[in-house]
Amino acid sequence: MIAGSPAAMQKWDLAFINVDTSKIAENSGSYFSEPVANMVALIPQSAEGSLLRFYADSQSKNFLPSQVQQESFALMASTQTQLKAKQIYTVENKSTGLVELEIQNTETGVSNPYLIWDGGQKRDRFLEPNRKFFFEVRDSGLYNISFYYFSNPESSQVDITLENPPIPDNYEELYRYYGDPLDPNFTTDNIVTIGLQNPNGGEWKVECHKAIAHRLRQVWQELINTNNLHLIQTYNGCLNIRMKRGKNEPSVHSWGLAIDVNAEEYPLGSPKQQPEVITQAFKNQGLSWGGYWKSIKDPMHYEFSVSGI
């Protein structure tokens, strides 16, 4: 879910845009409560601000094709919402046409649309039809988010969803949303190094996927706030591109989406359970516990997945 002020997120600006403005009387614009020429219906976001959607219906009786150049028909819809740094957001273009996305920090005025990628090497603000893309912002804050839709009027329905990527439930989703660990650019594009406090006052340097960097910080912060950090005696690894032990499939460690703690006390195959406050802190951030696995239990292990991949 995307946090922010529901009042701010309910406010949409929308307008027709045309390369040659002489072709129409004026570039019309209004708020959601007064759709342009009844051609556009905007679905307001939920109270949590999880969805941004707009539709253009060129079959409206008020649509006058002569007012818009066929080859440059465009629709713009925009809103404001709070975005957090170090989090990955998903934009899915379900339309039949190309969509341009612009993200602008309202305080600094800085636009950073080139932080958009498709799970691989492509980085562009133009979103191809029927594809999911991901983006992140450098700084937390209030952002203007604008979609520009380009298509011919006969196929101008658009459905854009803005949300966090799902917690992966299988390998297809791991590769699709979080990249290919064997891609030469995988580490550069996806892996960050963060510092996590250890109970002795020092700091562990943890290499992890940027999708869970903020989550791991939150786990540690919860343990610090509840005076339970001392329960994590050792950090035993996160990023490790390798196959699962005894299996011909990659470990989630290969994506930097899994972390091992207290390995000496809770080794692979042990029936022992980590303190519930540790497991719950990880669960609160979307990481599942290897101690729940039905086959060989792995109580040192926590991974960013629905139930263990």
Side-chain angles (χ1 to χ4, degrees), residues 192-198 202-208 213 216-217 220:
V192 296
T193 301
I194 62 174
L196 296 177
Q197 182 180 331
N198 69 49
E203 190 176 70
W204 289 309
K205 295 298 182 182
V206 177
E207 285 188 302
C208 64
L216 293 181
R217 291 191 185 99
W220 254 248

Side-chain angles (χ1 to χ4, degrees), residues 5 7 15 19 25 27 35 87 109 122 128 145 152 181 214 221 228 264 269 278 285 293:
S5 166
V19 175
N27 285 350
Q87 287 198 11
K122 180 172 181 175
E128 297 173 358
I145 300 179
N152 62 68
H214 178 69
Q221 192 59 52
N228 286 307
E264 185 174 336
I278 294 179
Q285 296 300 320
W293 293 352

Side-chain angles (χ1 to χ4, degrees), residues 48-65:
E48 294 82 7
S50 60
L51 297 178
L52 293 175
R53 288 180 174 169
F54 66 92
Y55 294 84
D57 179 9
S58 64
Q59 303 306 312
S60 167
K61 63 182 180 180
N62 293 331
F63 178 65
L64 301 176

Side-chain angles (χ1 to χ4, degrees), residues 63-75:
F63 178 65
L64 301 176
S66 62
Q67 293 183 343
V68 183
Q69 294 180 82
Q70 302 298 303
E71 69 276 9
S72 60
F73 173 82
L75 172 71

Side-chain angles (χ1 to χ4, degrees), residues 4 23 100 150 165 170 186 216 239 252:
K23 295 292 184 181
E100 182 180 3
F150 301 91
N170 51 58
F186 173 79
L216 293 181
L239 176 67
V252 177

Side-chain angles (χ1 to χ4, degrees), residues 63-255:
F63 178 65
L64 301 176
S66 62
Q67 293 183 343
V68 183
Q69 294 180 82
Q70 302 298 303
E71 69 276 9
S72 60
F73 173 82
L75 172 71
M76 183 272 282
S78 63
T79 191
Q80 289 186 343
T81 191
Q82 294 282 344
L83 298 176
K84 293 183 179 180
K86 308 300 183 182
Q87 287 198 11
I88 298 177
Y89 297 96
T90 302
V91 178
E92 183 173 7
N93 178 11
K94 297 179 180 178
S95 72
T96 56
L98 196 67
V99 172
E100 182 180 3
L101 172 61
E102 182 176 5
I103 308 163
Q104 185 181 52
N105 188 300
T106 60
E107 182 178 352
T108 65
V110 173
S111 298
N112 49 5
Y114 296 100
L115 291 180
I116 301 167
W117 74 99
D118 65 351
Q121 298 183 39
K122 180 172 181 175
R123 292 176 179 269
D124 203 343
R125 67 181 187 274
F126 292 97
L127 312 182
E128 297 173 358
N130 301 309
R131 295 275 304 277
K132 280 193 175 182
F133 295 80
F134 312 99
F135 76 88
E136 59 181 333
V137 294
R138 294 186 181 94
D139 303 299
S140 298
L142 184 65
Y143 281 81
N144 288 320
I145 300 179
S146 301
F147 295 102
Y148 301 86
Y149 177 64
F150 301 91
S151 180
N152 62 68
E154 283 69 39
S155 59
S156 57
Q157 179 167 313
V158 181
D159 185 343
I160 299 292
T161 301
L162 173 63
E163 61 186 0
N164 288 113
I167 299 175
D169 194 27
N170 51 58
Y171 279 104
E172 179 182 354
E173 292 182 354
L174 274 173
Y175 282 103
R176 182 178 182 184
Y177 301 130
Y178 300 100
D180 182 351
L182 298 182
D183 186 314
N185 295 304
F186 173 79
T187 299
T188 301
D189 291 344
N190 298 289
I191 302 302
V192 296
T193 301
I194 62 174
L196 296 177
Q197 182 180 331
N198 69 49
N200 298 319
E203 190 176 70
W204 289 309
K205 295 298 182 182
V206 177
E207 285 188 302
C208 64
H209 198 291
K210 58 189 177 184
I212 68 165
H214 178 69
R215 296 172 187 271
L216 293 181
R217 291 191 185 99
Q218 290 297 102
V219 170
W220 254 248
Q221 192 59 52
E222 180 176 337
L223 294 174
I224 291 171
N225 292 345
T226 57
N227 296 315
N228 286 307
L229 185 63
H230 66 279
L231 296 175
I232 296 187
Q233 292 296 314
T234 60
Y235 156 68
N236 304 101
C238 186
L239 176 67
N240 187 359
I241 301 176
R242 61 172 175 80
M243 305 302 283
K244 287 183 178 179
R245 296 182 181 88
K247 295 186 178 181
N248 190 30
E249 56 189 15
S251 166
V252 177
H253 281 289
S254 299
W255 281 267

